[in-house]
Structure formats: C-alpha cells, structure tokens
Amino acid sequence: MQKYFEFEKYGTNYRREIIGGFTTFLAMAYILVVNPITLSLAAVEDFPDALRMDYGAVFVATALAAAIGSIIMGLIGKYPMALAPGMGLNAFFAFTVVLGSGIPWQHALGAVLISGVFFFLLTLTGLREKIINAIPIELKYAVGAGIGLFITFVGLQSAHIIVKNDATLVGLGDLTSGPALLAIFGIVVSVIMMTRGIKGAVFYGMILTVIAGMIFGEIKVPHQVVGQVPSIAPTFGAAFSSFGDSSFYTTAMLGIILTFLFVDFFDNAGTLVAVASQAGLMKDNKLPRAGRALISDSVATSVGAVLGTSTTTSFIESTAGVAAGARTGFASLVTAGLFILSLFFFPLLSVVTAPVTAPALVIVGVLMVSSLGKIDWKRFEIAVPAFLTMIAMPLTYSIATGIAMGFIFYPITMIVKGRTKEIHPIMYLFFVIFVLYFIFLK
C-alpha cells in the first residue's frame, strides 16, 4: 500500500493520511444530511409528497456515491480528494429542474447520467480542456459566485429567515420563530468557528445546532443511534426509466444536461487545482495524473445518478484534509470508509432539519462568493455578463438562467467593444444554444 501510493516520495505515512482522510470527512459530512433534504424537497412544505424523492433512499445514494467516488479517485487518480454530490448542482436539480420546471426527478437523474457520460467522453477525447479554455475566466468566477448566492438564498428561505412578501416578492421572516432562531444560532456558531479556523467547523456547527434544537424542543430526540440501512430501491436505476419517455427529449432538457455538464466541469477543475496546489503536487504549473482525476469524477457522476443522486463531484473541503497532512489517494480511501460507516447511523442523522442545514448553506455560499474578487469589474464589457450571471441565479431561482444570460451578453459586449478576436468560436456556439434555450424554454 505504501509503495502503491508512494508514501516516501510525498513524505507521508499512515498516520498523516488517516488523520487527513478523517478531517476531510468531518468537513464534508454535512452533505449526508443537506443532500437528502435538498433532493427530497423537504424544505418545501406545499410540494406533493407523491412527487418527492424518498429521503432514506437519497441518504443511502449520497453515502454510497461519496464512498464509490472517493475510492475511484483514491485508487485511480491517487489524489487526496474526496467526492460527493455537489452543492449547487443539487440545488439546481431540486429547485430549478424539479420544482421550478415541473420535470420529474427521474428525468433529472437521467440528465445527470447523460452529463456524466458526456463528461467521460470529453475527457477521453481531450475536448474537455478545449471547452474549458474557451470560456473566459471571469465568467467561470461569476458562475461560482452566483451559485454561492443561490445556495445562501435557499438556506435562508428554508429556515424561514427569508419569506414570501406580496409587496416586495421577498422579505424578512419572523426572527422570533423557532426555526429562524435555531438557524440564526447555527449561523453565528458556525461563523465563529470558521473565523477561528477550526477544522470541520460546518459539521460541528450542525451538531451544536441539533443539540440546541433538542434542548429547546425544536427537534425531537432520536430513539436510537444505530439502525437499519434504508432501502435504496425507490431511486436505484430510476434514471434509466426516463429514456423511454418521449417527454424527456426536449430542448429544455438539453439545456439542463449542458448545465449539469458545465458546472461539473469547473467544480472538478477548480477543486483539483486547489487541492494539488495546497498539497504541493503541481509540477511546472501542470497537474500530474490530471486525466485520471477527471475520469474518476465523470465515472462517479454516472454511478451516483444510477444510485439516485445529483452530480457527484470533487469537494473543495478536501483542502481541510490536505491541511491536516493528507498527500495521497490513501486519504480518499479513509474518507470513503467513513462514508460507508455512516450508512448505519441514519436514525441519528434524521434529527437534522432544514434550520440545522441552513448554516452550512450560508457558509458554503460565503466561500463560493469569494471568487468575485478575481473579476476585473473596471472592464464594463466583462462586468456586465459576469454580473448578470451572478445576480440572475438567485433572482430567477435558476442556475441555468444565470449561466445563459451571462453567456448571451458576453459576445454582445465584447463585439461592441471591438474585441472580437478575444472571443473563442465556442462562445458563439454557446450564444446560439442559450438563445434557443430561452426561446423554447417551457
């Protein structure tokens, strides 16, 4: 094992890798609760139960997708990077595709599966790098920031801190209500721990919020800690059922598939660069085994879709494990093992409600919005598409709409500015695709 992962080459050992893998798990364990709540639309009170994804099945799919994805990354990519259903993409899946567009969740899983297959093929052919390089860096940053704002908005809404207002569309909720107070407590505690640089702050913040909720009667005390693993049958293989339905083959669905594919592109690439840089794995500004890491991510996405969850991607929280000493793929195997063990603690995790997960969504939003500082706002031709990309996501409750608006305005502003030579031909293709997306969107 030491020889396979080249412990001596990277100056590491079992102790450092195990601690690193465990730290990564603590930093991203919130996804075990946040993802099932998001995909099952548990925070949406008036959504028909018959149309929801099964919470228990999504929990199992989340844990298994994270475990399998991390194992693949550890063994093939050999990076100290864990995977799980990604934040932002799960919100797009639930709130834009299923809730907003009224598309069955089975169709949404089918779209994720296709995007994973496309991701795999593009990685093998080398087209992936060409597409990524064609998109301006400022728009990449704007997409990340926009998703961060959208996630934060969803979190505050689920905790009833932000509510519907007939006069202004949205407004401040009753901050003296139980759910709002519990969420505010969690946000304050999480922010304090994050500011102090405590590893696993998001996870610990959720634990303290749960305890506070049980003390004040907002959360029921669980009757057992360890229990039977829920059945994955309600979601397993459901993605394939969409391919036999003619309503699946629409222009709107094409836009959804492209959005899943596009966001996964940059989630994975950005995380890979961040983890490799922090671990000192970059060589001459290049990533060793980059192809293997990208293939690992695409395979994990397809496997996750078959199991019954939204896009599985590399987690930036892996940097917490690297900071704790992880340097090889062995740490990813440790994280995977902990996700498998978590399957048996479903009764305990059921105490985590929407107000408990709201702080995690806010913190993740803060981290994602930090990319705004890298955009050159003085260049108006760049500022306009970047701003529209970012602001349209929370205002339209759609990540796809934000991406579409930014990609439409970018060629327009650049042409008017006389900078046509800087526009990659692929961006013109995106312009046409997203204009058609708006025309045929239903």
Side-chain angles (χ1 to χ4, degrees):
M1 191 69 72
Q2 291 181 349
K3 184 177 180 181
Y4 181 78
F5 288 106
E6 302 177 289
F7 278 14
E8 184 176 348
K9 176 182 178 181
Y10 295 108
T12 188
N13 52 51
Y14 281 118
R15 180 178 178 276
R16 292 183 65 181
E17 296 298 303
I18 291 174
I19 291 176
F22 188 76
T23 301
T24 295
F25 174 77
L26 289 178
M28 60 187 291
Y30 67 86
I31 198 64
L32 288 169
V33 178
V34 176
N35 197 54
I37 284 181
T38 301
L39 295 191
S40 65
L41 291 167
V44 182
E45 297 176 355
D46 57 351
F47 193 73
D49 290 338
L51 301 179
R52 298 179 190 270
M53 295 183 73
D54 183 82
Y55 182 95
V58 177
F59 166 77
V60 176
T62 300
L64 289 179
I68 294 172
S70 298
I71 289 173
I72 295 173
M73 179 63 74
L75 292 178
I76 299 178
K78 295 186 180 180
Y79 275 96
M81 191 160 60
L83 286 77
M87 294 297 299
L89 283 167
N90 58 0
F92 172 70
F93 181 107
F95 297 102
T96 298
V97 179
V98 178
L99 184 62
S101 301
I103 293 174
W105 58 265
Q106 294 89 341
H107 285 24
L109 286 177
V112 173
L113 177 57
I114 292 175
S115 73
V117 173
F118 281 174
F119 192 171
F120 179 78
L121 295 176
L122 288 173
T123 301
L124 289 181
T125 60
L127 287 175
R128 180 188 179 279
E129 285 75 15
K130 293 181 180 179
I131 294 176
I132 289 179
N133 293 333
I135 299 172
I137 188 67
E138 290 88 354
L139 289 187
K140 297 174 186 176
Y141 292 143
V143 169
I147 293 174
L149 290 176
F150 180 69
I151 288 175
T152 299
F153 182 68
V154 170
L156 295 176
Q157 186 184 45
S158 67
H160 299 167
I161 294 176
I162 298 296
V163 297
K164 178 182 178 180
N165 185 295
D166 293 335
T168 60
L169 296 183
V170 294
L172 191 64
D174 180 8
L175 300 185
T176 63
S177 66
L181 284 173
L182 187 59
I184 292 171
F185 169 81
I187 292 172
V188 172
V189 170
S190 299
V191 166
I192 290 173
M193 288 193 290
M194 286 289 293
T195 304
R196 295 293 299 174
I198 297 175
K199 296 181 177 66
V202 174
F203 181 72
Y204 294 138
M206 292 176 65
I207 292 177
L208 292 175
T209 306
V210 167
I211 294 174
M214 290 191 291
I215 291 175
F216 292 99
E218 284 297 320
I219 297 176
K220 295 182 180 179
V221 179
H223 298 295
Q224 57 182 351
V225 176
V226 180
Q228 184 177 357
V229 178
S231 172
I232 196 176
T235 61
F236 183 76
F240 297 112
S241 65
S242 61
F243 301 147
D245 189 340
S246 59
S247 64
F248 178 79
Y249 303 96
T250 63
T251 304
M253 188 58 67
L254 176 60
I256 291 169
I257 292 173
L258 288 174
T259 300
F260 280 130
L261 181 64
F262 172 75
V263 178
D264 193 20
F265 267 178
F266 302 113
D267 272 358
N268 181 247
T271 301
L272 186 59
V273 171
V275 172
S277 299
Q278 185 178 353
L281 303 178
M282 296 279 284
K283 294 182 179 180
D284 300 324
N285 202 34
K286 295 182 179 180
L287 293 168
R289 306 182 305 280
R292 293 186 180 185
L294 296 174
I295 288 176
S296 300
D297 188 279
S298 61
V299 172
T301 291
S302 299
V303 171
V306 173
L307 292 172
T309 184
S310 54
T311 305
T312 303
T313 188
S314 304
F315 259 54
I316 194 63
E317 284 83 354
S318 300
T319 54
V322 172
R327 291 294 181 273
T328 74
F330 186 82
S332 299
L333 300 185
V334 173
T335 304
L338 292 171
F339 271 113
I340 293 175
L341 287 176
S342 68
L343 286 169
F344 302 97
F345 293 90
F346 178 72
L348 180 63
L349 293 173
S350 64
V351 303
V352 183
T353 58
V356 175
T357 60
L361 297 179
V362 172
I363 295 299
V364 172
V366 171
L367 297 176
M368 296 182 74
V369 170
S370 63
S371 62
L372 285 178
K374 301 177 182 179
I375 298 175
D376 186 359
W377 294 102
K378 295 180 180 179
R379 295 167 56 190
F380 195 71
E381 66 275 18
I382 293 296
V384 169
F387 178 77
L388 291 176
T389 297
M390 173 189 68
I391 200 65
M393 291 185 188
L395 292 184
T396 64
Y397 222 73
S398 169
I399 295 173
T401 300
I403 293 175
M405 289 182 68
F407 278 47
I408 287 174
F409 270 88
Y410 176 77
I412 294 174
T413 55
M414 292 293 284
I415 290 173
V416 173
K417 188 66 176 180
R419 300 175 58 184
T420 55
K421 293 182 179 180
E422 298 178 39
I423 305 175
H424 195 284
I426 291 179
M427 291 304 296
Y428 290 115
L429 176 61
F430 276 130
F431 174 86
V432 174
I433 290 175
F434 285 121
V435 166
L436 293 175
Y437 171 76
F438 280 121
I439 292 175
F440 295 102
L441 182 64
K442 296 180 179 180

